[in-house]
Amino acid sequence: LTSLVTNVGGQVSANVTIRGTWGEPRLDGAIDVRNGAVTVPAIGARYTGIVARLDLKDNLIEVAEARLTSGGTLDVSGEVRFESLTRPVLDLTLEPRGFAAFNIRDFGAMTASGDLRLRGPGLGATLGGQITVDAGFLSFADLIQKRIVNLDDPEFRAIVESNLALAAGLEPTVQSVFLDRLRIQNLKVTMGPDVWLRSHEANIQLSGEFQVEKAVEDGIPRYRMDGTLNAVRGTYRLSLPATSKEFRVTRGTVRFFGTPDLDPELDIAAEHTVRTQAGGELVVRAVIGGTLLVPRLRLESDQRPPLTETEIVSYLLFGRPSVELGGGGGGQSQLDIVKTAAASFA
């Protein structure tokens, strides 16, 4: 019936009678689903242990029982009322409990608990309520504008192209009439104890909450998020020629401003202490700014007057200022290495 799902399994038993007219249907009977299973490739999810019993009476379908299993469970209750055979009206309650909703590579994953309501016409229903993300991650673009990374690498080109595609629209991957017309209103999302912002370079735990809205404007679905997430802890790994340095996250925010691009502002700081060859210490701070899809990196230090990024890179690589660097024989000099690395932050 549809290409949106694959690997369907289970048993369906039905004994249904439909009488009346198209405009005033009269339903009777029941539908039972047992041991159901289905895969939704677009969101990387497989739901198993599906059980449901639907009781039909007059113009109603009552959800006597409905449960999906994916890690945890998702229970559905309520009813569907038919104003006519082509005009179903939903009044459903959804209760996820540790439910692994989706897992999309290079985008994110979510296991959630909460209470949701789905009400309104079948085409144009409104979803609201609250959920807590028990565990999950949200990917953000690596800082690939750095010249240290080979921009001709096909893998990085693919990442760039996918991120640009997300930035251009960010409509749901699964295109269906129901999802296109679904509205979201006053959906509160709270971060639980195991939610992370990740890239190949960073792993940052998030806390806080935000509000999700979705409207259909000129026939186009528009998502909006509003709220601030805080960086609790984490690490950032700065890749340099022939080495890397690990920074410890000390503060940070991810701010959604309610705009339809779903591209929040980043302001995350992480610190690394350099032990200089002179026996002192220099605290280097990596500040990740920009946005989720287009992050930017700059380097700072605790020294006054402020050091240039070239000097900071020199300390990170060799533990001393660039004026003290020597030549490299027949190879690239230490100073040239520093200048090449520092140019990546320009």
Side-chain angles (χ1 to χ4, degrees), residues 164-245:
L164 289 176
L166 285 169
L170 284 171
E171 302 90 57
T173 305
V174 180
Q175 293 297 321
S176 71
V177 175
F178 176 78
L179 290 179
D180 280 349
R181 298 192 185 181
L182 176 68
R183 301 173 187 273
I184 300 175
Q185 188 174 23
N186 298 325
L187 176 58
K188 179 181 176 183
V189 181
T190 302
M191 301 297 102
D194 190 20
V195 184
W196 299 82
L197 182 66
R198 287 178 178 163
S199 72
H200 289 92
E201 303 165 332
N203 195 30
I204 302 166
Q205 186 181 3
L206 298 175
S207 68
E209 61 186 41
F210 58 90
Q211 196 92 356
V212 181
E213 306 278 342
K214 178 197 169 201
V216 180
E217 302 171 359
D218 299 324
I220 300 174
R222 299 293 188 191
Y223 290 83
R224 287 181 168 83
M225 297 183 182
D226 192 3
T228 299
L229 303 180
N230 299 307
V232 178
R233 61 189 176 96
T235 58
Y236 171 72
R237 188 181 69 255
L238 176 64
S239 296
L240 295 165
T243 188
S244 65
K245 302 295 182 182

Side-chain angles (χ1 to χ4, degrees), residues 6-10 33-40 45-52 66-74 99-100:
T6 60
N7 299 323
V8 179
V33 178
R34 290 292 177 266
N35 302 317
V38 63
T39 298
V40 186
R46 179 159 179 82
Y47 308 128
T48 60
I50 300 173
V51 296
R67 169 171 283 189
L68 288 74
T69 301
S70 178
T73 59
L74 173 65
F99 184 69

Side-chain angles (χ1 to χ4, degrees), residues 25-214:
R26 292 292 176 263
L27 312 176
D28 189 41
I31 301 172
D32 278 285
V33 178
R34 290 292 177 266
N35 302 317
V38 63
T39 298
V40 186
I43 59 174
R46 179 159 179 82
Y47 308 128
T48 60
I50 300 173
V51 296
R53 177 173 176 87
L54 309 179
D55 294 327
L56 287 66
K57 185 178 181 180
D58 294 330
N59 67 335
L60 292 178
I61 297 180
E62 296 181 352
V63 183
E65 176 189 22
R67 169 171 283 189
L68 288 74
T69 301
S70 178
T73 59
L74 173 65
D75 290 314
V76 182
S77 59
E79 63 182 30
V80 179
R81 175 172 52 85
F82 286 86
E83 294 182 347
S84 71
L85 279 178
T86 57
R87 286 185 55 81
V89 178
L90 310 179
D91 186 2
L92 300 173
T93 298
L94 294 79
E95 296 180 313
R97 295 292 179 263
F99 184 69
F102 65 87
N103 189 345
I104 305 173
R105 183 183 177 185
D106 295 328
F107 177 73
M110 183 177 73
T111 297
S113 301
D115 298 283
L116 302 171
R117 300 177 304 276
L118 184 61
R119 293 181 177 141
L123 298 181
T126 298
L127 179 68
Q130 63 84 26
I131 60 172
T132 296
V133 183
D134 305 310
F137 73 91
L138 180 64
S139 293
F140 74 104
D142 288 319
L143 302 172
I144 57 176
Q145 70 269 21
K146 295 186 299 184
R147 298 184 181 93
I148 297 171
V149 177
N150 181 9
L151 298 182
D152 295 325
D153 188 326
E155 179 181 352
F156 285 101
R157 282 208 306 272
I159 293 174
V160 173
E161 290 166 0
S162 64
N163 282 331
L164 289 176
L166 285 169
L170 284 171
E171 302 90 57
T173 305
V174 180
Q175 293 297 321
S176 71
V177 175
F178 176 78
L179 290 179
D180 280 349
R181 298 192 185 181
L182 176 68
R183 301 173 187 273
I184 300 175
Q185 188 174 23
N186 298 325
L187 176 58
K188 179 181 176 183
V189 181
T190 302
M191 301 297 102
D194 190 20
V195 184
W196 299 82
L197 182 66
R198 287 178 178 163
S199 72
H200 289 92
E201 303 165 332
N203 195 30
I204 302 166
Q205 186 181 3
L206 298 175
S207 68
E209 61 186 41
F210 58 90
Q211 196 92 356
V212 181
E213 306 278 342
K214 178 197 169 201

Side-chain angles (χ1 to χ4, degrees), residues 272-338:
H272 173 81
T273 300
V274 176
R275 302 199 178 276
T276 68
Q277 288 194 1
E281 291 186 348
L282 177 70
V283 176
V284 176
R285 185 178 301 109
V287 180
I288 302 172
T291 66
L292 192 72
L293 295 175
V294 188
R296 298 186 181 91
L297 176 68
R298 72 177 188 273
L299 297 179
E300 302 174 348
S301 76
D302 64 346
Q303 187 163 319
R304 292 295 178 267
L307 296 177
T308 66
E309 288 187 329
T310 299
E311 291 304 309
I312 293 173
V313 171
S314 180
Y315 276 104
L316 285 169
L317 286 172
F318 303 109
R320 53 183 174 166
S322 61
V323 295
E324 297 180 7
L325 297 181
Q332 190 179 25
S333 71
Q334 292 178 338
L335 183 57
D336 288 339
I337 294 173
V338 167

